[in-house]
Amino acid sequence: MASKAVSVADLVERAQAGEARAVARLISLVEDQAPELREVSAALSPHTGRAHIVGLTGAPGVGKSTSTSALVKALRAQGRRVGVLAVDPTSPFSGGALLGDRIRMQDHATDEGVYIRSMASRGHLGGLSVAAPQALRVLDAAGCDVVLVETVGVGQSEVEISGLADTTLVLLAPGMGDGIQAAKAGILEIGDIFVVNKADREGAASTRRELRSVVAMSDRGGDAWTPPVLLTVATTGEGVDEVAEQIALHHAHLADSGELGRRRLARTRREIEALALNAVRQKLGDLSGDARLDTLAADVLSGTTDPYAAADTLIENL
Amino acid sequence: MASKAVSVADLVERAQAGEARAVARLISLVEDQAPELREVSAALSPHTGRAHIVGLTGAPGVGKSTSTSALVKALRAQGRRVGVLAVDPTSPFSGGALLGDRIRMQDHATDEGVYIRSMASRGHLGGLSVAAPQALRVLDAAGCDVVLVETVGVGQSEVEISGLADTTLVLLAPGMGDGIQAAKAGILEIGDIFVVNKADREGAASTRRELRSVVAMSDRGGDAWTPPVLLTVATTGEGVDEVAEQIALHHAHLADSGELGRRRLARTRREIEALALNAVRQKLGDLSGDARLDTLAADVLSGTTDPYAAADTLIENL
């Protein structure tokens, strides 16, 4: 035990000093829910809370990987340390789908001011709701000024990503951004900044116009933040500096208005709840192979009990 | 209390006698997690286990609603009582997205042998993993021979639907069905029957061919079920009788092989676990507004504790 304690403290110290391998090792420990997990979490805690967490989401094909890469470049040009967490919550079966796209990120592979990590939902007990926040804590403690969380955007995962981030950036492409579609997808509620990428394509201006009018309709009034709608061509970097600027402006707005503290408090509450729920789920999972659960299920099937009564019995067994 | 007890027993009796309003009321009670929920569950339990639960899934645009409607017609022509549960797990914000499509189902609105119900994930504590199985129990107890569960198909929800059903039917359309895409989407693992709808369109034969070859590759050998790949034009009803026939054949196969019992036991185990987890989640949720959780979150933010230690404290508070 004593040698492990030294090793975790050592890893955290090395991660803070900017050693990429220590950062990678720490993320693996939290991701795999290693036995050292709690020790890692405790050691990281005093060093977190500095990074600005920026979520990037959008439908497949809008250019999320390219945009992430371009944003990393823009932020690095400002001298900021950048972390990237690329998550794929839609891929229960194949964990490798994102890796092809990630090759593009090798632009930054030799840059010591950038940490990049991919994460698929497969194999994560409790899903990304448990693993992703812990990985973000590592990147935060490692001294990243900004951490970009990139996710494929479908339904609930978008909501999830907005729950992880201080600032949520929603990417669209021309023709994909008509107002009603956007409203349906639920992205209007979560976007702090909208970016119409591939702005060199036909329809970019009208997509921007439609989005702006829909955003205006949901204007919260007063000193509230009005989400800007920006145009970029991520492949050439056009417009990306303005995105970086708006990210900084939104951070300042959050800090000045007290909203940053409120969002982080709400996020931390959810994180604690998710961990508690996960702990209970694991205890229930330990009962999955249990003969008692089989007996309960058989009793429900035969009609001698009902699922709610069986669930009560299961909880009593915990 | 006594009058409520009478009323639930009465509702169940009326539902079994085929009264649509009683069925609707019972589903509302389980869906809304009404106080009578446990009573309803207990009253239904002896009358369940007869219905064949058939899941229909597929990407948007393959014609799920039309196919469901055509299947209902084919099953009704055989004199079978049919329930339809249409779920939309991708719509956290808008509960009404499916309703437009549902209008088509009004073909069956005056047919007393058909119950139709839409369900969105919004507002369901524990999501569809809790609400949908209970709604299926109501339709089962109401004497449906077959219950069709229709869902929009994206990622995890497909997996979820296959967990609910005895038989999972995967719908595709020409051009959308190439093998690699299907494999990526994870549908090969869950499909018991594949249907290429819109078979009057170009490419239907080649989509069928590709699917067949991919299905053949994952042949489980021996007496295992080999998923058929069928062609339909749901708008005209072409090929739909064969789908109904294959559904019956698959049911017979499940029953003969003992797989039906195994699937239902596994499903019931998951259902009990989901209910237990949901009960714990509700207890945690009761703490959401609790000052103790706020204090824990603030302590994590200030670095005086870490999320795992905070989660432990939260569990102790339960």
Side-chain angles (χ1 to χ4, degrees), chain B residues 167-183:
Chain B
T167 298
T168 299
L169 206 149
V170 175
L171 285 167
L172 301 102
M176 304 176 70
D178 80 271
I180 291 167
Q181 283 299 106

Side-chain angles (χ1 to χ4, degrees), chain A residues 9-258:
Chain A
D10 186 46
L11 275 176
V12 171
E13 198 174 305
R14 278 158 55 204
Q16 287 189 274
E19 196 188 308
R21 284 179 55 190
V23 175
R25 180 83 189 105
L26 285 170
I27 295 182
S28 293
L29 288 174
V30 297
E31 193 180 26
D32 301 343
Q33 305 212 16
E36 299 93 335
L37 176 64
R38 280 155 182 278
E39 201 183 330
V40 170
S41 178
L44 292 173
S45 215
H47 310 294
T48 55
R50 233 179 42 80
H52 181 200
I53 314 288
V54 178
L56 282 93
T57 190
V62 296
K64 277 188 301 298
S65 292
T66 323
S67 295
T68 303
S69 183
L71 249 179
V72 169
K73 207 169 166 185
L75 292 163
R76 287 298 296 139
Q78 299 171 2
R80 316 189 75 189
R81 295 180 80 89
V82 183
V84 176
L85 184 69
V87 295
D88 186 358
T90 60
S91 180
F93 293 112
S94 143
L98 273 171
L99 294 176
D101 283 336
R102 287 294 96 67
I103 290 166
R104 223 169 306 168
M105 296 299 289
Q106 290 190 344
D107 288 357
H108 311 288
T110 56
D111 182 346
E112 289 193 353
V114 183
Y115 303 103
I116 296 167
R117 183 75 173 217
S118 288
M119 195 174 260
S121 68
R122 178 161 80 157
H124 293 296
L125 279 164
L128 293 169
S129 58
V130 166
Q134 307 315 316
L136 291 177
R137 283 182 179 277
V138 174
L139 293 167
D140 185 355
C144 291
D145 299 299
V146 178
V147 179
L148 304 174
V149 192
E150 178 195 332
T151 182
V152 296
V154 276
Q156 290 167 314
S157 53
E158 286 179 344
V159 183
E160 236 180 75
I161 217 69
S162 72
L164 286 174
D166 300 317
T167 297
T168 299
L169 206 148
V170 175
L171 285 167
L172 300 102
M176 304 176 69
D178 80 270
I180 291 167
Q181 282 300 107
K184 262 193 175 175
I187 61 166
L188 290 173
E189 287 88 343
I190 64 162
D192 299 306
I193 297 168
F194 293 93
V195 176
V196 181
N197 188 33
K198 305 188 180 181
D200 50 347
R201 295 205 183 161
E202 208 181 333
S206 75
T207 295
R208 181 191 213 182
R209 203 161 45 235
E210 284 180 47
L211 262 172
R212 276 190 167 158
S213 68
V214 182
V215 166
M217 282 193 297
S218 57
D219 195 345
R220 295 143 223 180
D223 292 335
W225 174 260
T226 301
V229 183
L230 311 172
L231 296 177
T232 60
V233 184
T235 47
T236 65
E238 199 184 318
V240 175
D241 282 339
E242 203 193 335
V243 177
E245 197 181 309
Q246 288 291 337
I247 287 173
L249 281 175
H250 187 246
H251 186 261
H253 168 82
L254 289 175
D256 293 347
S257 63

Side-chain angles (χ1 to χ4, degrees), chain A residues 265-276:
Chain A
L265 193 69
R267 189 163 84 208
T268 308
R269 268 203 320 247
R270 281 195 302 273
E271 187 183 343
I272 296 169
E273 286 183 296
L275 287 174

Side-chain angles (χ1 to χ4, degrees), chain A residues 38 45 269 288 294 312, chain B residues 38 45 269 273 294 305 312:
Chain A
R38 280 155 182 278
S45 215
R269 268 203 320 247
S288 280
D294 269 339
D312 289 342
Chain B
R38 280 154 182 278
S45 215
R269 266 202 322 248
E273 285 183 297
D294 269 339
T305 186
D312 289 343

Side-chain angles (χ1 to χ4, degrees), chain B residues 221-243:
Chain B
D223 293 334
W225 174 261
T226 301
V229 183
L230 310 172
L231 295 177
T232 59
V233 184
T235 47
T236 65
E238 199 185 319
V240 176
D241 282 339
E242 202 193 335
V243 176

Side-chain angles (χ1 to χ4, degrees), chain B residues 168-241:
Chain B
T168 299
L169 206 149
V170 175
L171 285 167
L172 301 102
M176 304 176 70
D178 80 271
I180 291 167
Q181 283 299 106
K184 262 194 175 175
I187 61 167
L188 289 173
E189 287 89 344
I190 64 162
D192 298 306
I193 297 168
F194 293 94
V195 177
V196 181
N197 189 33
K198 305 187 178 180
D200 50 347
R201 295 206 183 159
E202 207 182 334
S206 75
T207 296
R208 182 192 213 180
R209 203 162 44 238
E210 284 180 46
L211 262 171
R212 275 190 167 157
S213 67
V214 182
V215 165
M217 283 193 296
S218 57
D219 194 344
R220 294 143 222 179
D223 293 334
W225 174 261
T226 301
V229 183
L230 310 172
L231 295 177
T232 59
V233 184
T235 47
T236 65
E238 199 185 319
V240 176
D241 282 339

